[in-house]
Amino acid sequence: MTLWHGRLRGDTADAVMDYSVSLHVDRRLAGDDLAGSRAHVRGLGRAGLLDDEEVATLLGTLDAVEAELEADTFAFGPGDEDIHTAVERRVTELAGDVGAKLHTGRSRNDQVATDLRLYAKRELRAVAAEVLAFQEVLVTRAQEAGDVYLPGYTHLQRAQPVLLAHHLLAHAWALARDVDRLVATVVRLDVSTLGAGALAGSSLPLDPDAVAADLGFAGRFENSLDAVSDRDFVAEALFDLALLGVHLSRMGEEIVLWSSDEFGFVVLDDAFATGSSMLPQKKNPDVAELARGKSGRLIGNLTGLLVTLKGLPLAYNRDLQEDKEPLFDSVDQTRLGLSALAGLLSTVRVDPARMQAAADGSAVAAVDLAEWLVERGTPFRQAHAVVGGLVHDSIERHVPLAELVEAHPALGAEAVALLEPGVAVRRRTTPGSAGPEAVAIQLGRFVHRLEADRIRVTALG
Ligand code: ARG
């Protein structure tokens, strides 16, 4: 028998229970549900709807239920549709008549929204803290990288040399935007919905502001219809996690490429690589591939929820029960991925010789030759044509570019020095650029940013 059976006659069909039950998913909201119930009970006490003894009995019973859940001795019954009804049923069993007062002035609609906000607040904060730890790994690797450089690519064609530190920090800055988004999402979702009731509030003298403060929320809902039907915070969280997943996926793709024999830029630590069941020689970058692959799932979770939400009239509809699985899944997968990829990155061995050899081809300094001409008065478009022509001739005639540069009347021996290994990257001196001086400044700025973000994330509560 369910808690809501009063209006109905006869048993609910098994197929209905099988289809609508969400206990297996929302059990993990138990702690948040208990927190919400405690605040609600105290609110009922302040409203004079429960006397002091009843408040004490209910709070004690909620503690007993919590102990059962923690000890895994809580016996779920066939009528327990979700964690909210399971807890209320058990409270009523243990506390008798007083238990029947727990749900006074409350609906599962405002209850579940508050539970999920408590969960999201805590978990997104934890994800943000893990992103900060991940960024810390990138910073450490960037500091260790010193002046090691590699080719920067556009169209996956070698374009210009960049410091390895610069490349690593590029990913770190993308993650800083993820932290920004997670913080903003938590700030926006920091709203209690208790007191909205099923959809229209209550005739009882409830004080949603006080309940919100009790639960540590920044404030209460403004509109009861919005409160019970709003899942913007879930959609936002799923977007934040999807885009974070896309960033991890792009890193994953580079690790796959870099660890291939073709690139040979990095060697994975054995603890973060996998073998092949058939091919004895294989060492595979599965973690990096999963970071890439699971981003599809994170995007799917976002897309699925948006489709669920788009046709819903106000206010609560049972469709909204479909909000939890994608959120829990995206949070879980993101946290697992951050941890595995951070481990991979902190242990991966870099091969500076391979990286630099790939960046030392004379053609990657082509734009430096053109800019050398520009500094001596040649319009850039003309300089571009001159150097492009030399690169073309070098390839066609199998003559080293340096020889052609030396022989060219506008270039000559001084310009040839630009083609020496490591010269081009040192010439990148503008703010935010890929050369050693600019990257040292960037690194300092990033470390400051990380410190500020750590304070922001900690301040979330
Ligand atoms: N398990 C439900 C959910 O997650 C709780 C709310 C049920 N409300 C209702 N009116 N049936 O949304």
Side-chain angles (χ1 to χ4, degrees):
M1 197 64 100
T2 58
L3 295 179
W4 40 257
H5 224 80
R7 160 75 178 78
L8 309 176
R9 291 292 166 268
D11 290 339
T12 309
D14 288 346
V16 172
M17 277 306 275
D18 292 348
Y19 195 46
S20 56
V21 71
S22 60
L23 183 64
H24 56 292
V25 175
D26 55 38
R27 294 181 60 141
R28 76 156 87 183
L29 290 178
D32 299 305
D33 198 66
L34 289 161
S37 286
R38 288 187 181 107
H40 181 62
V41 165
R42 288 189 284 263
L44 292 175
R46 285 191 300 273
L49 295 162
L50 297 174
D51 62 31
D52 288 353
E53 200 181 313
E54 289 174 321
V55 169
T57 304
L58 281 175
L59 292 178
T61 311
L62 287 165
D63 289 347
V65 170
E66 180 168 50
E68 287 185 2
L69 284 161
E70 275 173 6
D72 227 0
T73 54
F74 187 105
F76 289 101
D80 294 339
E81 253 191 300
D82 52 26
I83 190 65
H84 325 290
T85 49
V87 168
E88 190 192 337
R89 184 219 7 108
R90 187 66 184 138
V91 167
T92 312
E93 277 168 14
L94 292 174
D97 289 347
V98 196
K101 294 190 175 183
L102 173 62
H103 213 51
T104 310
R106 185 176 74 169
S107 158
R108 273 187 295 161
N109 301 350
D110 57 348
Q111 185 182 1
V112 70
T114 289
D115 290 1
L116 201 56
R117 283 169 187 269
L118 285 171
Y119 165 88
K121 207 175 145 179
R122 181 182 58 253
E123 291 295 323
L124 295 186
R125 206 167 49 210
V127 172
E130 280 160 21
V131 176
L132 294 176
F134 193 104
Q135 290 173 300
E136 194 69 61
V137 171
L138 289 172
V139 166
T140 304
R141 298 308 314 242
Q143 284 161 340
E144 288 166 5
D147 284 350
V148 170
Y149 57 91
L150 75 164
Y153 295 82
T154 60
H155 315 272
L156 201 53
Q157 308 287 320
R158 291 174 190 168
Q160 287 184 279
V162 298
L163 282 198
L164 174 58
H166 192 58
H167 191 111
L168 295 169
L169 287 173
H171 289 303
W173 286 108
L175 295 175
R177 294 190 294 274
D178 293 316
V179 171
D180 234 16
R181 267 184 290 273
L182 289 164
V183 168
T185 299
V186 169
V187 167
R188 239 190 315 277
L189 70 73
D190 196 6
V191 172
S192 170
T193 61
L194 278 178
L199 75 166
S202 181
S203 67
L204 300 169
L206 304 177
D207 181 0
D209 285 294
V211 174
D214 188 348
L215 283 170
F217 281 115
R220 62 146 167 94
F221 64 95
E222 294 288 347
N223 178 305
S224 62
L225 289 172
D226 186 38
V228 294
S229 63
D230 171 25
R231 294 295 184 275
D232 290 4
F233 69 101
V234 182
E236 273 189 53
L238 290 175
F239 174 75
D240 298 347
L241 298 173
L243 190 50
L244 169 54
V246 166
H247 293 149
L248 299 182
S249 171
R250 295 179 70 176
M251 280 180 238
E253 167 64 3
E254 285 186 347
I255 292 161
V256 170
L257 288 172
W258 288 11
S259 62
S260 68
D261 286 340
E262 284 69 15
F263 275 78
F265 288 0
V266 296
V267 179
L268 300 182
D269 189 89
D270 283 2
F272 288 92
T274 44
S276 159
S277 59
M278 176 175 164
L279 308 173
Q281 85 282 14
K282 291 301 294 293
K283 179 169 170 182
N284 293 329
D286 288 29
V287 167
E289 291 169 302
L290 284 168
R292 198 175 56 189
K294 283 181 195 268
S295 66
R297 179 164 163 185
L298 300 175
I299 294 164
N301 286 340
L302 169 65
T303 316
L305 182 80
L306 289 173
V307 176
T308 297
L309 296 179
K310 84 173 187 61
L312 299 185
L314 293 176
Y316 179 85
N317 300 269
R318 192 62 179 266
D319 314 47
L320 291 175
Q321 182 167 284
E322 292 299 306
D323 58 359
K324 285 166 217 68
E325 255 178 291
L327 181 61
F328 295 166
D329 184 55
S330 288
V331 165
D332 290 347
Q333 291 304 325
T334 302
R335 296 186 68 169
L336 290 167
L338 281 168
S339 163
L341 210 54
L344 182 151
L345 284 173
S346 57
T347 54
V348 71
R349 192 158 53 74
V350 168
D351 188 335
R354 287 285 296 240
M355 286 185 171
Q356 294 183 173
D360 283 340
S362 53
V364 294
V367 80
D368 289 83
L369 289 172
E371 286 173 1
W372 191 86
L373 288 170
V374 165
E375 278 173 336
R376 281 152 190 78
T378 310
F380 177 72
R381 198 42 66 206
Q382 244 164 279
H384 183 285
V386 167
V387 178
L390 292 181
V391 171
H392 177 268
D393 288 353
S394 155
I395 294 165
E396 286 296 300
R397 293 166 40 203
H398 305 288
V399 183
L401 183 63
E403 244 172 65
L404 299 178
V405 169
E406 183 147 22
H408 194 278
L411 291 159
E414 207 189 317
V416 172
L418 300 176
L419 306 182
E420 291 298 316
V423 170
V425 75
R426 285 200 293 278
R427 289 169 52 86
R428 308 268 90 73
T429 49
T430 48
S433 68
E437 284 138 51
V439 169
I441 293 167
Q442 183 194 161
L443 196 50
R445 289 167 74 111
F446 189 81
V447 168
H448 266 99
R449 167 67 184 260
L450 204 52
E451 202 43 59
D453 281 350
R454 209 170 278 125
I455 291 166
R456 288 164 78 209
V457 170
T458 312
L460 288 175

